């Protein structure tokens, strides 16, 4: 045995091989329940307007039948004129919507959204349906919620102001033609709009005082609305679209009534029909009825009767007006809304 030392000291023993890491299997993909639920919800939203219109048609079938029967004997040329004015009304609403926003909206989709909003407006009272559809459209275009809501408020504020200015213009320009004495309401009736406005303002202030979480969103909304309104009124194109479209809207509605009345043999001048509509819609326009159906019609028939129109002809005129502006475009408007929902525009 050799006693010579080894050339090198033995090194450390090799470390044990590490244990193989467990293979992490990817988690199983979640069941497509959320996606299926989303698709089902969108399909239901697409079909819901059609179902609502069907229910409404069943409940109000007599008005639809009577109006259609009366229009069957009307002059088709005047009815086409009334239909033209109805289409111009959607364009007028689109112009006002564009005038209430600094951002430029796509014209085609804007008109389509207002066509769909017109159908929703006749289902819910106080224009809630139209505002809801427009709000969804604006958010889909990337408009922030505060600015979109402020534009709706500006739209709702400008419309009655412009209508009042047009009404005052009629009073100044045509005082002898309008026969104002029979149309002036009782003085006690003049306090009703003031009382309604006071109750609305007082209720809003009370709600903001009692519910603190609403104060900050309310302050943000008011600040945004004032800023956008001031900015819009420095843009001549927006001012013209906002106020011009709002002033044209009631005149187009009155033109539809005049065209339908002319198709049924009504010989009342356009100025008197327009003033009758302005007076009737201003008097009872604040009543929360879907699309103004009911109160505005009754007030309009009464106002036409003051001008010597028989109640039967006035009623037939208003029924035909509702057929042209509500029932005829209702199903296409609902289908347009469903298409916009399906395309995720709304």
């Amino acid at each position: 045995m050799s006693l010579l030392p080894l050339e090198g000291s033995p090194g450390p023993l090799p470390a044990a091989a590490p244990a193989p890491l467990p293979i992490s299997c990817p988690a199983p993909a979640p069941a497509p329940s959320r996606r299926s639920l989303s698709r089902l919800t969108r399909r239901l939203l697409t079909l819901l307007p059609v179902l609502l219109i069907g229910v409404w048609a069943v409940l109000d079938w007599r008005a639809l039948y009577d109006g259609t029967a009366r229009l069957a004997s009307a002059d088709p040329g005047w009815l086409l004129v009334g239909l033209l004015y109805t289409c111009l009304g959607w364009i007028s609403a689109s112009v006002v919507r564009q005038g209430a926003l600094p951002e430029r909206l796509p014209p085609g989709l804007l008109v389509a959204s207002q066509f769909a909003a017109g159908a929703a407006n006749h289902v819910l009272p106080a224009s809630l349906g139209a505002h809801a559809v427009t709000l969804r459209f604006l958010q889909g275009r990337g408009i922030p919620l505060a600015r979109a809501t402020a534009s709706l408020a500006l739209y709702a504020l400008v419309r009655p102001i412009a209508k009042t200015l047009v009404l005052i213009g009629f009073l100044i320009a045509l005082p002898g033609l309008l026969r104002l004495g029979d149309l002036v309401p009782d003085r006690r009736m003049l306090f009703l709009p003031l009382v309604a406005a006071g109750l609305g303002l007082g209720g809003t202030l009370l709600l903001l005082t009692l519910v603190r979480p609403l104060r900050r969103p309310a302050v943000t909304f008011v600040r945004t609305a004032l800023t956008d309104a001031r900015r819009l009124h420095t843009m001549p194109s927006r001012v013209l679209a906002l106020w011009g479209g709002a002033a044209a809207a009631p005149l187009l509605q009155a033109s539809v009534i005049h065209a339908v009345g002319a198709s049924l043999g009504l010989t009342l001048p356009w100025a008197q029909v327009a003033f009758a509509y302005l007076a009737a819609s201003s008097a009872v326009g604040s009543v929360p009825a879907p699309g103004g159906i009911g109160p505005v019609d009754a007030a309009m028939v009464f106002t036409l009767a003051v001008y010597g129109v028989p109640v039967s002809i006035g009623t037939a005129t208003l029924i035909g007006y509702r057929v042209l502006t509500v029932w005829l475009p209702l199903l296409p408007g609902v289908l347009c809304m469903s298409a916009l929902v399906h395309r995720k525009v709304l």
Side-chain angles (χ1 to χ4, degrees), residues 182-275:
D182 298 330
L183 294 176
V184 176
D186 188 7
R187 292 182 179 180
R188 292 174 293 181
M189 297 296 293
L190 298 178
F191 289 101
L192 292 180
L194 298 178
V195 172
L199 290 177
L201 181 60
T204 302
L205 294 177
L206 181 63
L207 184 64
L208 294 177
T209 302
L210 297 179
V211 184
R212 292 185 177 181
L214 293 179
R215 295 179 187 175
R216 179 174 295 178
V219 171
T220 303
F221 165 76
V222 172
R223 185 183 296 114
T224 304
L226 293 177
T227 302
D228 287 352
R230 183 167 57 250
R231 179 185 175 187
L232 287 169
H233 283 82
T234 61
M235 306 169 64
S237 60
R238 295 297 187 267
V239 173
L240 180 61
L242 182 64
W243 291 98
L251 297 179
L252 290 173
Q253 295 291 325
S255 299
V256 177
I257 297 176
H258 178 262
V260 174
S263 70
L264 296 172
L266 183 65
T267 59
L268 208 62
W270 176 86
Q272 290 184 343
V273 175
F275 181 76

Side-chain angles (χ1 to χ4, degrees), residues 36-331:
S36 301
L37 182 61
S38 176
R39 291 179 179 176
L40 179 61
T41 303
R42 184 167 295 278
R43 289 178 181 177
L44 290 178
L45 290 176
T46 303
L47 296 176
L48 181 60
V50 181
L51 296 178
L52 290 176
I53 297 307
V55 172
W56 191 27
V58 171
L59 296 177
D60 202 21
W61 66 272
R62 185 176 295 277
L64 177 62
Y65 176 79
D66 293 343
T68 305
R70 291 179 183 275
L71 288 179
S73 60
D75 185 358
W78 277 109
L79 292 181
L80 288 177
V81 173
L83 185 60
L84 174 62
Y85 285 129
T86 301
C87 297
L88 291 177
W90 300 320
I91 298 177
S92 172
S94 303
V95 170
V96 181
R97 296 290 188 186
Q98 177 61 84
L101 271 175
E103 292 84 357
R104 183 173 178 82
L105 300 173
L109 289 179
L110 178 59
V111 174
S113 70
Q114 294 311 293
F115 183 50
N121 188 43
H122 298 301
V123 177
L124 297 177
S127 301
L128 293 178
H131 289 329
V133 172
T134 304
L135 182 63
R136 289 292 301 169
F137 170 72
L138 294 180
Q139 288 187 291
R141 296 296 96 194
I143 307 298
L145 179 61
R147 175 164 290 175
T149 309
S151 73
L152 296 182
L154 183 61
Y155 175 91
L157 180 64
V158 167
R159 290 286 293 265
I161 294 177
K163 182 189 294 185
T164 303
L165 294 177
V166 174
L167 184 61
I168 294 174
F170 269 81
L171 294 175
I172 296 175
L174 304 169
L177 180 64
L178 302 177
R179 284 194 268 170
L180 302 177
D182 298 330
L183 294 176
V184 176
D186 188 7
R187 292 182 179 180
R188 292 174 293 181
M189 297 296 293
L190 298 178
F191 289 101
L192 292 180
L194 298 178
V195 172
L199 290 177
L201 181 60
T204 302
L205 294 177
L206 181 63
L207 184 64
L208 294 177
T209 302
L210 297 179
V211 184
R212 292 185 177 181
L214 293 179
R215 295 179 187 175
R216 179 174 295 178
V219 171
T220 303
F221 165 76
V222 172
R223 185 183 296 114
T224 304
L226 293 177
T227 302
D228 287 352
R230 183 167 57 250
R231 179 185 175 187
L232 287 169
H233 283 82
T234 61
M235 306 169 64
S237 60
R238 295 297 187 267
V239 173
L240 180 61
L242 182 64
W243 291 98
L251 297 179
L252 290 173
Q253 295 291 325
S255 299
V256 177
I257 297 176
H258 178 262
V260 174
S263 70
L264 296 172
L266 183 65
T267 59
L268 208 62
W270 176 86
Q272 290 184 343
V273 175
F275 181 76
Y277 175 77
L278 290 170
S281 59
S282 299
V284 297
S286 59
V287 178
I293 298 176
V296 175
D297 294 350
M300 186 65 191
V301 171
F302 168 77
T303 309
L304 290 177
V306 171
Y307 286 130
V309 178
V311 176
S312 59
I313 297 181
T315 304
T317 299
L318 267 296
I319 290 176
Y321 163 73
R322 289 302 179 184
V323 169
L324 274 185
T325 58
V326 177
W327 285 108
L328 188 61
L330 195 55
L331 182 58

